[in-house]
C-alpha cells in the first residue's frame, strides 16, 4: 500500500474489529494534534497551537461518530475491543518533530492534515477491497467516504489559509472545462505509460494508466452532457511535467466539482473521480519520497 509505510497485517474480520480500528486511528490523531499544540504553546506559537487544537477538536468529533455508529449497530464500545494488529501510521512526522519545524505555518499544518486524511482514505479503501464479509466491506466503504469528506473540508480550510498567508501568487480561479481535466488525465496516462517507474512500476503503473484513461472518458462524457465546470486557478506554468502536481490539481478539481454538483449522478461521478485521484496522488507522493509499500 504505497500511501502508507506498510500494508495492514491482515484483513478486518468483523464490524467489531473495524470499529475498534477506526476508534484507535481517530484517537491517535487527537493525541498527536493535542501534543503538537501543547509543544507549540510552550514555545510561544499561539497561532499555530490554535490550529492544531482545532484539528484535535475535529478528530474528537470523528471519534464520537465512530462510537455512535458502533452503538447504532449494537456492537460493543470500540475502545473495549482488542485491535487485530497495530494501526497504520498516517502522519508525516511525530508531534515533536512537527512542532520544532521552523517552516511550519497554518497553511503547512493544514496541508499535513490533508495528507493524513488522504492516507486514511487510502487505508479504508484497501480494507474494503480485501474484506471477506459484505458488512465489513460496506462499512469500510462508508469509512472511506467519510474520509473523502474530511479531505474536502480540510482542503477548503487549507485554501483559506493559503489566501491569508499569501505564500505564493494566488491567481484568480476561473471555470475549467471538463474536457481540459480529461486532457490532464490522458497526459498522466501517457507519461506513466512511458515511464512506469514513476508509479512504482509493473502492474500498479498499468492500473494507474487504465484508471486515468477511464477517468478521461468519463469526463468527456460529462462534458458532452453539459456537466458543470469547477472554478480552478490555472495550473502553474511548467507544472505539467510534475506528475504529483498534476495529480494534486485533479484532486482539487474533482472535490470542487463535487461541491458544485446539483445532480446526484454528477455528484456520484465527481466523488468516484476524487477517490481514484486521491489514491493515485498518495501513491505518486510516496514513490517520489522513496517510500514504496509494494
Amino acid at each position: 500500500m504505497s500511501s502508507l509505510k506498510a500494508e495492514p497485517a491482515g484483513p478486518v474480520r468483523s464490524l467489531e474489529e473495524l470499529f475498534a480500528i477506526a476508534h484507535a486511528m481517530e484517537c491517535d490523531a487527537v493525541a498527536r494534534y493535542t501534543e503538537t499544540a501543547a509543544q507549540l504553546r510552550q514555545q510561544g506559537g499561539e497561532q499555530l497551537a490554535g490550529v492544531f487544537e482545532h484539528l484535535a477538536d475535529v478528530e474528537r468529533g470523528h471519534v464520537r461518530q465512530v462510537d455512535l455508529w458502533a452503538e447504532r449497530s449494537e456492537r460493543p464500545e470500540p475502545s473495549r475491543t482488542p485491535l487485530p494488529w497495530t494501526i497504520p501510521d498516517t502522519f508525516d512526522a511525530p508531534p515533536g518533530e512537527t512542532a520544532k519545524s521552523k517552516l511550519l505555518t497554518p497553511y503547512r499544518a493544514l496541508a499535513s492534515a490533508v495528507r493524513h486524511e488522504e492516507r486514511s482514505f487510502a487505508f479504508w479503501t484497501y480494507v474494503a477491497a480485501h474484506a471477506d464479509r459484505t458488512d465489513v466491506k460496506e462499512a469500510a466503504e462508508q469509512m472511506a467516504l467519510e474520509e473523502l469528506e474530511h479531505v474536502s473540508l480540510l482542503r477548503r480550510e487549507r485554501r483559506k489559509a493559503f489566501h491569508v498567508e499569501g505564500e505564493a501568487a494566488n491567481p484568480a480561479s476561473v471555470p475549467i472545462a471538463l474536457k481540459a481535466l480529461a486532457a490532464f488525465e490522458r497526459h498522466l496516462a501517457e507519461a506513466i505509460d512511458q515511464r512506469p517507474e514513476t508509479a512504482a512500476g509493473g502492474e500498479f503503473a498499468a492500473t494507474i494508466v487504465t484508471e486515468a484513461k477511464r477517468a478521461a472518458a468519463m469526463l468527456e462524457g460529462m462534458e458532452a452532457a453539459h456537466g458543470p465546470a469547477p472554478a480552478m486557478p490555472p495550473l502553474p506554468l511548467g507544472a505539467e511535467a510534475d506528475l504529483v502536481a498534476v495529480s494534486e490539481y485533479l484532486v482539487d478539481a474533482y472535490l470542487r466539482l463535487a461541491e458544485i454538483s446539483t445532480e446526484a449522478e454528477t455528484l456520484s461521478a465527481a466523488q468516484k473521480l476524487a477517490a481514484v485521484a486521491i489514491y493515485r496522488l498518495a501513491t505518486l507522493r510516496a514513490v517520489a519520497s522513496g517510500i514504496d509499500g509494494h
Side-chain angles (χ1 to χ4, degrees):
M1 187 178 203
S2 16
S3 58
L4 300 171
K5 295 177 180 177
E7 295 180 0
V12 177
R13 297 166 297 185
S14 66
L15 283 181
E16 288 83 356
E17 286 189 352
L18 183 141
F19 291 138
I21 293 166
H23 178 92
M25 289 177 66
E26 302 295 356
C27 285
D28 180 56
V30 171
R32 285 174 181 256
Y33 288 142
T34 300
E35 183 179 346
T36 302
Q39 293 191 24
L40 286 166
R41 199 170 293 285
Q42 289 177 356
Q43 299 168 16
E46 294 295 323
Q47 182 185 14
L48 284 169
V51 172
F52 279 94
E53 286 169 348
H54 167 66
L55 290 172
D57 284 340
V58 170
E59 296 295 347
R60 288 189 187 93
H62 299 169
V63 173
R64 289 193 291 272
Q65 288 176 344
V66 172
D67 289 347
L68 286 172
W69 189 2
E71 183 179 344
R72 288 196 301 270
S73 302
E74 299 182 345
R75 294 305 195 277
E77 290 183 28
S79 61
R80 297 179 180 273
T81 303
L83 293 170
W85 23 259
T86 303
I87 61 172
D89 184 358
T90 54
F91 285 86
D92 287 341
E97 184 176 330
T98 300
K100 290 177 182 177
S101 173
K102 301 300 182 183
L103 300 177
L104 191 63
T105 65
Y107 170 81
R108 292 177 185 272
L110 288 165
S112 179
V114 166
R115 288 192 292 273
H116 158 67
E117 297 293 351
E118 289 173 346
R119 292 180 187 125
S120 297
F121 164 82
F123 169 80
W124 289 115
T125 300
Y126 182 94
V127 170
H130 291 79
D132 295 326
R133 293 178 43 159
T134 300
D135 58 348
V136 172
K137 177 180 175 63
E138 291 176 349
E141 289 173 343
Q142 182 60 39
M143 288 296 302
L145 182 59
E146 293 285 343
E147 297 296 350
L148 185 61
E149 292 176 357
H150 301 164
V151 169
S152 182
L153 291 172
L154 283 173
R155 279 180 173 268
R156 198 175 304 158
E157 292 195 36
R158 188 185 68 170
R159 288 199 297 270
K160 292 178 183 177
F162 176 81
H163 178 74
V164 171
E165 291 178 29
E167 290 195 349
N170 191 14
S173 297
V174 295
I176 181 169
L178 298 181
K179 63 181 179 182
L181 298 179
F184 283 133
E185 289 284 0
R186 294 195 185 281
H187 166 69
L188 277 176
E190 182 179 352
I192 292 173
D193 195 33
Q194 292 176 351
R195 295 181 55 205
E197 68 276 8
T198 61
E203 182 180 346
F204 198 77
T207 299
I208 289 185
V209 170
T210 299
E211 289 176 343
K213 290 179 178 178
R214 185 180 295 125
M218 182 185 300
L219 288 161
E220 288 163 351
M222 293 168 68
E223 174 80 19
H226 305 290
M232 292 286 293
L235 191 66
L237 188 64
E240 293 90 347
D242 186 336
L243 300 188
V244 173
V246 174
S247 296
E248 180 156 14
Y249 187 83
L250 287 169
V251 169
D252 273 334
Y254 298 147
L255 290 173
R256 291 195 188 192
L257 179 60
E259 290 172 7
I260 64 173
S261 296
T262 57
E263 297 181 0
E265 185 176 351
T266 305
L267 174 60
S268 176
Q271 289 178 332
K272 288 177 182 177
L273 287 165
V276 172
I278 287 172
Y279 199 88
R280 174 177 61 203
L281 174 61
T283 299
L284 293 176
R285 267 203 193 115
V287 173
S289 301
I291 303 172
D292 186 4
H294 291 278

